[in-house]
Short mmCIF file of all heavy atoms in Angstrom, two decimals:
data_model
loop_
_atom_site.label_atom_id
_atom_site.label_comp_id
_atom_site.label_asym_id
_atom_site.label_seq_id
_atom_site.Cartn_x
_atom_site.Cartn_y
_atom_site.Cartn_z
N MET G 1 3.63 -7.57 20.85
CA MET G 1 2.60 -6.57 21.03
C MET G 1 1.63 -6.68 19.82
O MET G 1 2.01 -6.76 18.68
CB MET G 1 3.25 -5.18 20.99
CG MET G 1 2.25 -4.11 21.16
SD MET G 1 3.03 -2.44 21.48
CE MET G 1 3.37 -2.00 19.81
N TYR G 2 0.32 -6.61 20.15
CA TYR G 2 -0.71 -6.70 19.13
C TYR G 2 -1.25 -5.31 18.80
O TYR G 2 -1.51 -4.50 19.70
CB TYR G 2 -1.86 -7.53 19.68
CG TYR G 2 -3.10 -7.55 18.75
CD1 TYR G 2 -3.06 -8.35 17.65
CD2 TYR G 2 -4.20 -6.73 19.02
CE1 TYR G 2 -4.18 -8.36 16.76
CE2 TYR G 2 -5.24 -6.71 18.19
CZ TYR G 2 -5.29 -7.52 17.04
OH TYR G 2 -6.34 -7.53 16.19
N ALA G 3 -1.31 -5.04 17.54
CA ALA G 3 -1.96 -3.77 17.05
C ALA G 3 -2.90 -4.18 15.96
O ALA G 3 -2.54 -4.86 15.00
CB ALA G 3 -0.85 -2.86 16.49
N ARG G 4 -4.12 -3.83 16.12
CA ARG G 4 -5.23 -4.23 15.24
C ARG G 4 -4.96 -3.88 13.80
O ARG G 4 -5.21 -4.62 12.87
CB ARG G 4 -6.53 -3.58 15.66
CG ARG G 4 -7.77 -4.03 14.89
CD ARG G 4 -9.00 -3.46 15.42
NE ARG G 4 -9.15 -2.04 15.20
CZ ARG G 4 -9.58 -1.48 14.11
NH1 ARG G 4 -10.02 -2.27 13.16
NH2 ARG G 4 -9.64 -0.19 13.94
N SER G 5 -4.25 -2.77 13.55
CA SER G 5 -4.02 -2.32 12.20
C SER G 5 -2.69 -2.93 11.63
O SER G 5 -2.40 -2.75 10.44
CB SER G 5 -4.00 -0.82 12.12
OG SER G 5 -2.95 -0.34 12.98
N ALA G 6 -1.93 -3.60 12.42
CA ALA G 6 -0.65 -4.16 11.95
C ALA G 6 -0.85 -5.45 11.19
O ALA G 6 -1.84 -6.18 11.47
CB ALA G 6 0.27 -4.44 13.11
N PRO G 7 -0.06 -5.73 10.18
CA PRO G 7 -0.15 -7.02 9.47
C PRO G 7 -0.05 -8.18 10.46
O PRO G 7 0.74 -8.20 11.35
CB PRO G 7 1.00 -7.00 8.50
CG PRO G 7 1.42 -5.59 8.40
CD PRO G 7 1.08 -4.91 9.73
N GLN G 8 -0.96 -9.20 10.24
CA GLN G 8 -1.01 -10.30 11.09
C GLN G 8 -0.41 -11.61 10.57
O GLN G 8 -0.38 -12.62 11.29
CB GLN G 8 -2.48 -10.56 11.54
CG GLN G 8 -3.16 -9.36 12.16
CD GLN G 8 -2.50 -8.95 13.49
OE1 GLN G 8 -2.24 -9.75 14.32
NE2 GLN G 8 -2.19 -7.68 13.60
N THR G 9 0.02 -11.60 9.34
CA THR G 9 0.58 -12.77 8.72
C THR G 9 1.88 -12.45 8.08
O THR G 9 2.27 -11.30 7.87
CB THR G 9 -0.37 -13.31 7.58
OG1 THR G 9 -0.46 -12.31 6.58
CG2 THR G 9 -1.77 -13.61 8.15
N ASP G 10 2.68 -13.53 7.71
CA ASP G 10 3.96 -13.28 7.04
C ASP G 10 3.69 -12.56 5.69
O ASP G 10 4.42 -11.66 5.33
CB ASP G 10 4.67 -14.58 6.81
CG ASP G 10 5.26 -15.14 8.11
OD1 ASP G 10 5.44 -14.35 9.05
OD2 ASP G 10 5.52 -16.36 8.16
N ALA G 11 2.63 -13.02 4.97
CA ALA G 11 2.31 -12.44 3.68
C ALA G 11 1.96 -10.96 3.86
O ALA G 11 2.35 -10.11 3.07
CB ALA G 11 1.19 -13.14 2.99
N GLY G 12 1.21 -10.66 4.94
CA GLY G 12 0.83 -9.27 5.22
C GLY G 12 2.04 -8.40 5.54
O GLY G 12 2.11 -7.26 5.11
N ARG G 13 2.97 -8.95 6.32
CA ARG G 13 4.18 -8.20 6.64
C ARG G 13 5.01 -7.95 5.37
O ARG G 13 5.59 -6.88 5.22
CB ARG G 13 4.96 -8.90 7.75
CG ARG G 13 4.32 -8.76 9.10
CD ARG G 13 5.16 -9.38 10.24
NE ARG G 13 4.98 -10.84 10.26
CZ ARG G 13 4.01 -11.47 10.85
NH1 ARG G 13 3.04 -10.81 11.42
NH2 ARG G 13 3.96 -12.77 10.90
N MET G 14 5.12 -8.98 4.55
CA MET G 14 5.86 -8.77 3.26
C MET G 14 5.17 -7.75 2.42
O MET G 14 5.83 -6.84 1.82
CB MET G 14 5.95 -10.10 2.47
CG MET G 14 6.98 -11.04 3.01
SD MET G 14 7.29 -12.43 1.89
CE MET G 14 5.75 -13.21 1.74
N ALA G 15 3.85 -7.79 2.32
CA ALA G 15 3.10 -6.82 1.53
C ALA G 15 3.36 -5.47 2.00
O ALA G 15 3.58 -4.49 1.23
CB ALA G 15 1.61 -7.22 1.52
N TRP G 16 3.29 -5.23 3.33
CA TRP G 16 3.46 -3.89 3.93
C TRP G 16 4.87 -3.39 3.63
O TRP G 16 5.03 -2.24 3.25
CB TRP G 16 3.17 -3.96 5.39
CG TRP G 16 3.37 -2.60 6.02
CD1 TRP G 16 4.22 -2.24 7.04
CD2 TRP G 16 2.60 -1.38 5.75
NE1 TRP G 16 4.07 -0.91 7.38
CE2 TRP G 16 3.13 -0.37 6.59
CE3 TRP G 16 1.63 -1.08 4.84
CZ2 TRP G 16 2.60 0.96 6.54
CZ3 TRP G 16 1.15 0.24 4.79
CH2 TRP G 16 1.63 1.22 5.67
N GLY G 17 5.86 -4.27 3.79
CA GLY G 17 7.25 -3.83 3.47
C GLY G 17 7.40 -3.45 2.02
O GLY G 17 8.04 -2.37 1.73
N LEU G 18 6.87 -4.20 1.10
CA LEU G 18 6.98 -3.87 -0.29
C LEU G 18 6.18 -2.65 -0.65
O LEU G 18 6.61 -1.82 -1.44
CB LEU G 18 6.50 -5.09 -1.19
CG LEU G 18 7.44 -6.29 -1.15
CD1 LEU G 18 6.76 -7.43 -1.89
CD2 LEU G 18 8.74 -5.94 -1.90
N PHE G 19 5.03 -2.47 -0.01
CA PHE G 19 4.25 -1.29 -0.26
C PHE G 19 5.03 -0.03 0.23
O PHE G 19 5.10 0.97 -0.47
CB PHE G 19 2.88 -1.36 0.54
CG PHE G 19 2.08 -0.13 0.28
CD1 PHE G 19 1.33 -0.11 -0.87
CD2 PHE G 19 2.09 0.94 1.14
CE1 PHE G 19 0.54 1.07 -1.17
CE2 PHE G 19 1.30 2.04 0.89
CZ PHE G 19 0.54 2.14 -0.26
N LYS G 20 5.62 -0.10 1.40
CA LYS G 20 6.42 1.07 1.89
C LYS G 20 7.54 1.40 0.95
O LYS G 20 7.86 2.56 0.77
CB LYS G 20 6.91 0.80 3.29
CG LYS G 20 5.83 0.81 4.35
CD LYS G 20 6.37 0.83 5.78
CE LYS G 20 7.30 -0.31 6.01
NZ LYS G 20 7.80 -0.39 7.45
N ASP G 21 8.16 0.35 0.37
CA ASP G 21 9.27 0.58 -0.58
C ASP G 21 8.81 1.23 -1.86
O ASP G 21 9.61 1.87 -2.59
CB ASP G 21 9.96 -0.72 -0.90
CG ASP G 21 10.75 -1.29 0.28
OD1 ASP G 21 11.02 -0.56 1.26
OD2 ASP G 21 11.11 -2.52 0.20
N ASN G 22 7.51 1.07 -2.16
CA ASN G 22 7.00 1.53 -3.48
C ASN G 22 5.98 2.63 -3.42
O ASN G 22 5.45 3.04 -4.46
CB ASN G 22 6.43 0.32 -4.26
CG ASN G 22 7.46 -0.58 -4.74
OD1 ASN G 22 8.07 -0.37 -5.77
ND2 ASN G 22 7.71 -1.67 -4.00
N CYS G 23 5.63 3.12 -2.19
CA CYS G 23 4.55 4.09 -2.12
C CYS G 23 4.87 5.45 -2.69
O CYS G 23 3.95 6.24 -2.92
CB CYS G 23 4.08 4.19 -0.65
SG CYS G 23 5.25 4.95 0.45
N TRP G 24 6.15 5.69 -3.00
CA TRP G 24 6.51 6.91 -3.65
C TRP G 24 5.97 7.00 -5.08
O TRP G 24 5.91 8.01 -5.70
CB TRP G 24 8.02 7.14 -3.65
CG TRP G 24 8.74 6.06 -4.32
CD1 TRP G 24 9.18 4.86 -3.74
CD2 TRP G 24 9.12 5.98 -5.72
NE1 TRP G 24 9.80 4.10 -4.75
CE2 TRP G 24 9.79 4.78 -5.93
CE3 TRP G 24 8.98 6.84 -6.76
CZ2 TRP G 24 10.29 4.42 -7.16
CZ3 TRP G 24 9.50 6.50 -8.01
CH2 TRP G 24 10.11 5.27 -8.20
N ARG G 25 5.49 5.83 -5.58
CA ARG G 25 4.92 5.77 -6.97
C ARG G 25 3.42 6.09 -6.94
O ARG G 25 2.59 5.39 -7.45
CB ARG G 25 5.16 4.37 -7.55
CG ARG G 25 6.57 3.99 -7.69
CD ARG G 25 6.68 2.54 -8.06
NE ARG G 25 8.04 2.18 -8.36
CZ ARG G 25 8.38 1.75 -9.56
NH1 ARG G 25 7.51 1.51 -10.50
NH2 ARG G 25 9.69 1.52 -9.79
N ALA G 26 3.12 7.19 -6.31
CA ALA G 26 1.71 7.56 -6.15
C ALA G 26 1.12 8.06 -7.45
O ALA G 26 1.81 8.65 -8.28
CB ALA G 26 1.58 8.73 -5.10
N ARG G 27 -0.16 7.69 -7.62
CA ARG G 27 -0.92 8.19 -8.70
C ARG G 27 -1.71 9.43 -8.23
O ARG G 27 -2.38 9.34 -7.18
CB ARG G 27 -1.90 7.13 -9.25
CG ARG G 27 -1.15 5.99 -9.92
CD ARG G 27 -2.11 4.92 -10.48
NE ARG G 27 -2.55 4.11 -9.35
CZ ARG G 27 -3.85 3.80 -9.12
NH1 ARG G 27 -4.77 4.25 -9.93
NH2 ARG G 27 -4.15 3.05 -8.06
N VAL G 28 -1.63 10.53 -8.99
CA VAL G 28 -2.15 11.78 -8.49
C VAL G 28 -3.21 12.30 -9.51
O VAL G 28 -2.96 12.26 -10.70
CB VAL G 28 -1.03 12.85 -8.30
CG1 VAL G 28 -1.57 14.19 -7.82
CG2 VAL G 28 -0.03 12.32 -7.28
N ALA G 29 -4.27 12.82 -8.99
CA ALA G 29 -5.34 13.43 -9.84
C ALA G 29 -5.13 14.93 -9.84
O ALA G 29 -4.27 15.49 -9.21
CB ALA G 29 -6.73 13.06 -9.30
N GLY G 30 -6.05 15.63 -10.53
CA GLY G 30 -6.01 17.03 -10.59
C GLY G 30 -6.00 17.65 -9.21
O GLY G 30 -6.52 17.13 -8.23
N LEU G 31 -5.32 18.80 -9.09
CA LEU G 31 -5.11 19.50 -7.82
C LEU G 31 -4.27 18.72 -6.77
O LEU G 31 -4.32 19.08 -5.61
CB LEU G 31 -6.48 19.95 -7.18
CG LEU G 31 -7.36 20.84 -8.11
CD1 LEU G 31 -8.67 21.11 -7.43
CD2 LEU G 31 -6.63 22.16 -8.47
N GLY G 32 -3.61 17.67 -7.18
CA GLY G 32 -2.68 17.01 -6.37
C GLY G 32 -3.22 15.94 -5.45
O GLY G 32 -2.51 15.46 -4.56
N ALA G 33 -4.50 15.63 -5.55
CA ALA G 33 -5.06 14.60 -4.69
C ALA G 33 -4.49 13.20 -5.04
O ALA G 33 -4.43 12.81 -6.22
CB ALA G 33 -6.56 14.55 -4.80
N VAL G 34 -4.04 12.46 -4.01
CA VAL G 34 -3.46 11.12 -4.26
C VAL G 34 -4.67 10.19 -4.46
O VAL G 34 -5.57 10.12 -3.63
CB VAL G 34 -2.59 10.67 -3.07
CG1 VAL G 34 -2.13 9.28 -3.25
CG2 VAL G 34 -1.39 11.64 -2.97
N VAL G 35 -4.69 9.43 -5.56
CA VAL G 35 -5.78 8.55 -5.82
C VAL G 35 -5.36 7.07 -5.78
O VAL G 35 -6.16 6.17 -5.86
CB VAL G 35 -6.44 8.80 -7.21
CG1 VAL G 35 -7.07 10.18 -7.16
CG2 VAL G 35 -5.43 8.69 -8.34
N GLY G 36 -4.08 6.83 -5.60
CA GLY G 36 -3.60 5.40 -5.54
C GLY G 36 -2.09 5.37 -5.65
O GLY G 36 -1.43 6.35 -5.67
N VAL G 37 -1.60 4.11 -5.70
CA VAL G 37 -0.20 3.83 -5.84
C VAL G 37 -0.02 2.80 -6.93
O VAL G 37 -0.86 1.85 -7.01
CB VAL G 37 0.38 3.34 -4.50
CG1 VAL G 37 1.85 2.89 -4.64
CG2 VAL G 37 0.22 4.37 -3.45
N GLU G 38 1.01 2.91 -7.69
CA GLU G 38 1.29 1.93 -8.73
C GLU G 38 1.64 0.61 -8.05
O GLU G 38 2.68 0.55 -7.33
CB GLU G 38 2.41 2.44 -9.68
CG GLU G 38 2.79 1.45 -10.72
CD GLU G 38 1.66 1.02 -11.59
OE1 GLU G 38 0.94 1.87 -12.13
OE2 GLU G 38 1.44 -0.21 -11.71
N LEU G 39 0.86 -0.41 -8.18
CA LEU G 39 1.03 -1.68 -7.43
C LEU G 39 1.53 -2.83 -8.30
O LEU G 39 1.78 -3.91 -7.73
CB LEU G 39 -0.29 -2.06 -6.81
CG LEU G 39 -0.84 -1.13 -5.74
CD1 LEU G 39 -2.21 -1.63 -5.27
CD2 LEU G 39 0.14 -0.97 -4.61
N ASP G 40 1.78 -2.61 -9.59
CA ASP G 40 2.25 -3.73 -10.41
C ASP G 40 3.52 -4.38 -9.91
O ASP G 40 3.61 -5.61 -9.80
CB ASP G 40 2.43 -3.31 -11.88
CG ASP G 40 1.12 -2.98 -12.57
OD1 ASP G 40 0.05 -3.40 -12.07
OD2 ASP G 40 1.12 -2.25 -13.57
N MET G 41 4.53 -3.57 -9.56
CA MET G 41 5.84 -4.12 -9.14
C MET G 41 5.68 -4.85 -7.81
O MET G 41 6.17 -6.00 -7.72
CB MET G 41 6.90 -3.00 -9.05
CG MET G 41 8.28 -3.59 -8.71
SD MET G 41 9.58 -2.30 -8.52
CE MET G 41 9.49 -1.54 -10.12
N PRO G 42 5.08 -4.24 -6.77
CA PRO G 42 5.00 -5.01 -5.53
C PRO G 42 4.14 -6.28 -5.62
O PRO G 42 4.39 -7.29 -5.03
CB PRO G 42 4.45 -4.05 -4.53
CG PRO G 42 3.98 -2.86 -5.25
CD PRO G 42 4.63 -2.84 -6.61
N ILE G 43 3.08 -6.25 -6.50
CA ILE G 43 2.30 -7.47 -6.72
C ILE G 43 3.19 -8.56 -7.29
O ILE G 43 3.20 -9.73 -6.92
CB ILE G 43 1.08 -7.19 -7.60
CG1 ILE G 43 0.00 -6.36 -6.81
CG2 ILE G 43 0.44 -8.53 -8.14
CD1 ILE G 43 -1.13 -5.88 -7.65
N GLU G 44 3.96 -8.16 -8.31
CA GLU G 44 4.87 -9.14 -8.95
C GLU G 44 5.91 -9.67 -7.94
O GLU G 44 6.22 -10.86 -7.94
CB GLU G 44 5.58 -8.53 -10.11
CG GLU G 44 6.41 -9.46 -10.96
CD GLU G 44 5.63 -10.60 -11.57
OE1 GLU G 44 4.41 -10.40 -11.88
OE2 GLU G 44 6.20 -11.71 -11.65
N GLN G 45 6.42 -8.79 -7.10
CA GLN G 45 7.43 -9.22 -6.13
C GLN G 45 6.80 -10.17 -5.09
O GLN G 45 7.43 -11.19 -4.72
CB GLN G 45 8.03 -8.00 -5.43
CG GLN G 45 8.92 -7.18 -6.33
CD GLN G 45 9.29 -5.89 -5.70
OE1 GLN G 45 8.49 -5.16 -5.08
NE2 GLN G 45 10.52 -5.49 -5.88
N LEU G 46 5.59 -9.96 -4.68
CA LEU G 46 4.95 -10.83 -3.74
C LEU G 46 4.67 -12.19 -4.34
O LEU G 46 4.82 -13.25 -3.73
CB LEU G 46 3.65 -10.18 -3.20
CG LEU G 46 3.66 -9.41 -1.96
CD1 LEU G 46 2.23 -8.94 -1.59
CD2 LEU G 46 4.24 -10.18 -0.80
N THR G 47 4.24 -12.21 -5.62
CA THR G 47 3.96 -13.47 -6.25
C THR G 47 5.25 -14.26 -6.47
O THR G 47 5.23 -15.47 -6.28
CB THR G 47 3.21 -13.31 -7.58
OG1 THR G 47 3.94 -12.46 -8.45
CG2 THR G 47 1.79 -12.70 -7.40
N GLN G 48 6.31 -13.54 -6.74
CA GLN G 48 7.59 -14.27 -6.88
C GLN G 48 8.09 -14.83 -5.57
O GLN G 48 8.77 -15.82 -5.49
CB GLN G 48 8.66 -13.33 -7.40
CG GLN G 48 8.47 -13.02 -8.90
CD GLN G 48 9.49 -11.98 -9.44
OE1 GLN G 48 10.37 -11.53 -8.68
NE2 GLN G 48 9.35 -11.62 -10.69
N ALA G 49 7.60 -14.23 -4.46
CA ALA G 49 7.93 -14.72 -3.11
C ALA G 49 7.04 -15.87 -2.69
O ALA G 49 7.18 -16.41 -1.57
CB ALA G 49 7.85 -13.61 -2.08
N GLY G 50 6.07 -16.25 -3.52
CA GLY G 50 5.21 -17.36 -3.24
C GLY G 50 3.85 -17.05 -2.75
O GLY G 50 3.07 -17.99 -2.43
N VAL G 51 3.47 -15.80 -2.72
CA VAL G 51 2.10 -15.40 -2.35
C VAL G 51 1.23 -15.41 -3.62
O VAL G 51 1.65 -14.95 -4.65
CB VAL G 51 2.13 -13.96 -1.72
CG1 VAL G 51 0.72 -13.50 -1.42
CG2 VAL G 51 2.96 -13.95 -0.48
N GLY G 52 0.06 -16.04 -3.47
CA GLY G 52 -0.82 -16.09 -4.64
C GLY G 52 -1.23 -14.73 -5.11
O GLY G 52 -1.39 -13.78 -4.26
N ARG G 53 -1.42 -14.54 -6.44
CA ARG G 53 -1.68 -13.26 -6.97
C ARG G 53 -2.98 -12.60 -6.37
O ARG G 53 -2.97 -11.42 -6.05
CB ARG G 53 -1.80 -13.30 -8.52
CG ARG G 53 -2.03 -11.95 -9.14
CD ARG G 53 -1.83 -12.00 -10.64
NE ARG G 53 -0.47 -12.13 -11.04
CZ ARG G 53 0.41 -11.13 -11.15
NH1 ARG G 53 0.00 -9.89 -10.86
NH2 ARG G 53 1.69 -11.31 -11.53
N PRO G 54 -4.10 -13.38 -6.18
CA PRO G 54 -5.25 -12.70 -5.64
C PRO G 54 -5.00 -12.20 -4.22
O PRO G 54 -5.46 -11.10 -3.85
CB PRO G 54 -6.32 -13.85 -5.61
CG PRO G 54 -5.89 -14.74 -6.71
CD PRO G 54 -4.41 -14.75 -6.67
N LEU G 55 -4.30 -12.99 -3.37
CA LEU G 55 -3.99 -12.52 -2.04
C LEU G 55 -3.04 -11.34 -2.06
O LEU G 55 -3.18 -10.36 -1.34
CB LEU G 55 -3.35 -13.68 -1.21
CG LEU G 55 -2.91 -13.31 0.22
CD1 LEU G 55 -4.17 -12.76 1.02
CD2 LEU G 55 -2.34 -14.54 0.87
N ALA G 56 -2.04 -11.36 -2.96
CA ALA G 56 -1.12 -10.23 -3.06
C ALA G 56 -1.87 -8.96 -3.43
O ALA G 56 -1.63 -7.91 -2.86
CB ALA G 56 -0.03 -10.57 -4.18
N GLN G 57 -2.79 -9.09 -4.34
CA GLN G 57 -3.59 -7.92 -4.75
C GLN G 57 -4.42 -7.39 -3.59
O GLN G 57 -4.51 -6.16 -3.32
CB GLN G 57 -4.45 -8.26 -5.97
CG GLN G 57 -3.72 -8.48 -7.23
CD GLN G 57 -4.51 -9.05 -8.33
OE1 GLN G 57 -5.49 -9.78 -8.13
NE2 GLN G 57 -4.13 -8.70 -9.58
N ASP G 58 -5.06 -8.34 -2.91
CA ASP G 58 -5.95 -7.90 -1.76
C ASP G 58 -5.09 -7.22 -0.69
O ASP G 58 -5.53 -6.15 -0.14
CB ASP G 58 -6.64 -9.10 -1.10
CG ASP G 58 -7.76 -9.68 -1.97
OD1 ASP G 58 -8.17 -8.98 -2.92
OD2 ASP G 58 -8.21 -10.80 -1.68
N LEU G 59 -3.96 -7.79 -0.33
CA LEU G 59 -3.09 -7.20 0.70
C LEU G 59 -2.64 -5.79 0.33
O LEU G 59 -2.63 -4.87 1.10
CB LEU G 59 -1.95 -8.13 0.99
CG LEU G 59 -2.29 -9.42 1.72
CD1 LEU G 59 -1.08 -10.36 1.71
CD2 LEU G 59 -2.81 -9.16 3.13
N LEU G 60 -2.16 -5.69 -0.93
CA LEU G 60 -1.61 -4.40 -1.39
C LEU G 60 -2.66 -3.34 -1.52
O LEU G 60 -2.47 -2.16 -1.22
CB LEU G 60 -0.77 -4.59 -2.62
CG LEU G 60 0.57 -5.34 -2.34
CD1 LEU G 60 1.14 -5.84 -3.62
CD2 LEU G 60 1.55 -4.43 -1.60
N VAL G 61 -3.83 -3.72 -1.96
CA VAL G 61 -4.93 -2.74 -2.04
C VAL G 61 -5.36 -2.23 -0.70
O VAL G 61 -5.66 -1.07 -0.55
CB VAL G 61 -6.08 -3.37 -2.89
CG1 VAL G 61 -7.35 -2.49 -2.71
CG2 VAL G 61 -5.75 -3.51 -4.38
N ALA G 62 -5.31 -3.15 0.25
CA ALA G 62 -5.65 -2.74 1.66
C ALA G 62 -4.60 -1.70 2.12
O ALA G 62 -4.95 -0.70 2.79
CB ALA G 62 -5.65 -3.95 2.59
N CYS G 63 -3.33 -1.91 1.86
CA CYS G 63 -2.25 -0.96 2.18
C CYS G 63 -2.56 0.37 1.46
O CYS G 63 -2.46 1.44 2.05
CB CYS G 63 -0.89 -1.50 1.76
SG CYS G 63 -0.30 -2.94 2.62
N GLU G 64 -2.82 0.27 0.25
CA GLU G 64 -3.07 1.45 -0.63
C GLU G 64 -4.26 2.30 -0.07
O GLU G 64 -4.14 3.53 0.00
CB GLU G 64 -3.33 1.04 -2.07
CG GLU G 64 -3.68 2.18 -3.02
CD GLU G 64 -4.09 1.67 -4.39
OE1 GLU G 64 -4.87 0.72 -4.45
OE2 GLU G 64 -3.59 2.24 -5.37
N MET G 65 -5.34 1.58 0.28
CA MET G 65 -6.48 2.35 0.78
C MET G 65 -6.16 3.14 2.04
O MET G 65 -6.54 4.34 2.19
CB MET G 65 -7.64 1.36 1.08
CG MET G 65 -8.24 0.74 -0.15
SD MET G 65 -9.43 -0.55 0.13
CE MET G 65 -10.47 0.07 1.40
N GLY G 66 -5.42 2.56 2.95
CA GLY G 66 -5.04 3.28 4.17
C GLY G 66 -4.13 4.47 3.87
O GLY G 66 -4.26 5.53 4.43
N PHE G 67 -3.20 4.23 2.97
CA PHE G 67 -2.20 5.26 2.60
C PHE G 67 -2.90 6.44 1.97
O PHE G 67 -2.68 7.56 2.33
CB PHE G 67 -1.18 4.59 1.68
CG PHE G 67 -0.17 5.60 1.05
CD1 PHE G 67 0.88 6.09 1.84
CD2 PHE G 67 -0.40 6.09 -0.25
CE1 PHE G 67 1.75 7.00 1.24
CE2 PHE G 67 0.51 6.97 -0.77
CZ PHE G 67 1.59 7.39 -0.07
N VAL G 68 -3.78 6.13 0.96
CA VAL G 68 -4.49 7.21 0.27
C VAL G 68 -5.35 8.01 1.22
O VAL G 68 -5.33 9.28 1.19
CB VAL G 68 -5.30 6.63 -0.89
CG1 VAL G 68 -6.29 7.69 -1.48
CG2 VAL G 68 -4.41 6.12 -1.99
N ALA G 69 -6.04 7.34 2.15
CA ALA G 69 -6.92 8.06 3.07
C ALA G 69 -6.06 8.97 3.96
O ALA G 69 -6.42 10.12 4.22
CB ALA G 69 -7.70 7.07 3.88
N ALA G 70 -4.94 8.41 4.46
CA ALA G 70 -4.08 9.18 5.36
C ALA G 70 -3.44 10.39 4.70
O ALA G 70 -3.40 11.50 5.28
CB ALA G 70 -2.99 8.29 6.00
N VAL G 71 -2.96 10.23 3.49
CA VAL G 71 -2.33 11.35 2.75
C VAL G 71 -3.27 12.39 2.45
O VAL G 71 -3.01 13.58 2.66
CB VAL G 71 -1.59 10.78 1.46
CG1 VAL G 71 -1.21 11.94 0.62
CG2 VAL G 71 -0.43 9.96 1.83
N ASN G 72 -4.46 12.04 1.95
CA ASN G 72 -5.44 13.05 1.62
C ASN G 72 -6.01 13.74 2.81
O ASN G 72 -6.33 14.93 2.76
CB ASN G 72 -6.55 12.38 0.75
CG ASN G 72 -6.02 12.08 -0.66
OD1 ASN G 72 -5.16 12.77 -1.15
ND2 ASN G 72 -6.52 11.05 -1.24
N GLU G 73 -6.19 13.01 3.97
CA GLU G 73 -6.61 13.65 5.17
C GLU G 73 -5.60 14.66 5.65
O GLU G 73 -5.95 15.77 6.02
CB GLU G 73 -6.82 12.57 6.27
CG GLU G 73 -7.30 13.16 7.59
CD GLU G 73 -7.53 12.06 8.57
OE1 GLU G 73 -8.27 11.10 8.34
OE2 GLU G 73 -6.86 12.16 9.65
N LYS G 74 -4.32 14.32 5.61
CA LYS G 74 -3.24 15.24 6.01
C LYS G 74 -3.23 16.43 5.10
O LYS G 74 -3.15 17.56 5.59
CB LYS G 74 -1.91 14.52 6.02
CG LYS G 74 -0.79 15.47 6.46
CD LYS G 74 0.57 14.95 6.09
CE LYS G 74 1.71 15.88 6.36
NZ LYS G 74 1.52 17.18 5.73
N ASP G 75 -3.33 16.21 3.79
CA ASP G 75 -3.34 17.36 2.89
C ASP G 75 -4.56 18.25 3.09
O ASP G 75 -4.44 19.44 2.96
CB ASP G 75 -3.27 16.84 1.43
CG ASP G 75 -1.91 16.34 1.05
OD1 ASP G 75 -0.93 16.57 1.79
OD2 ASP G 75 -1.78 15.72 -0.03
N GLY G 76 -5.70 17.63 3.42
CA GLY G 76 -6.85 18.44 3.64
C GLY G 76 -6.73 19.33 4.87
O GLY G 76 -7.19 20.41 4.97
N ASP G 77 -6.03 18.80 5.88
CA ASP G 77 -5.82 19.53 7.12
C ASP G 77 -4.90 20.80 6.87
O ASP G 77 -5.04 21.82 7.44
CB ASP G 77 -5.16 18.70 8.18
CG ASP G 77 -6.10 17.65 8.76
OD1 ASP G 77 -7.33 17.75 8.51
OD2 ASP G 77 -5.63 16.70 9.41
N ASP G 78 -3.92 20.60 5.94
CA ASP G 78 -2.97 21.68 5.66
C ASP G 78 -3.63 22.85 4.91
O ASP G 78 -3.14 23.98 4.94
CB ASP G 78 -1.79 21.15 4.88
CG ASP G 78 -0.89 20.26 5.69
OD1 ASP G 78 -1.05 20.24 6.93
OD2 ASP G 78 -0.09 19.52 5.07
N GLN G 79 -4.69 22.53 4.21
CA GLN G 79 -5.32 23.55 3.31
C GLN G 79 -6.41 24.38 3.99
O GLN G 79 -6.91 25.32 3.47
CB GLN G 79 -5.87 22.94 2.01
CG GLN G 79 -4.77 22.24 1.24
CD GLN G 79 -5.31 21.45 0.08
OE1 GLN G 79 -6.58 21.43 -0.14
NE2 GLN G 79 -4.51 20.76 -0.62
N GLY G 80 -6.80 23.97 5.21
CA GLY G 80 -7.91 24.69 5.87
C GLY G 80 -7.50 25.78 6.70
O GLY G 80 -8.01 26.70 7.08
#
């Protein structure tokens, strides 16, 4: 089954799995807004698995962007 937003490569699937394992390491700004996720560990894990560091960073930042937008959108809905 094809889903446009799903990872399309092995590296992307690994990145998503590692991101999900580490997304609890959220970086939070004032008033509780999520501004990012600590990505050092999953980047290191991806590079150890053979993914180049620039690709690992790109993939994980893409995961982070979607996560941050979704969490903040949900939190915004709860406060209105």
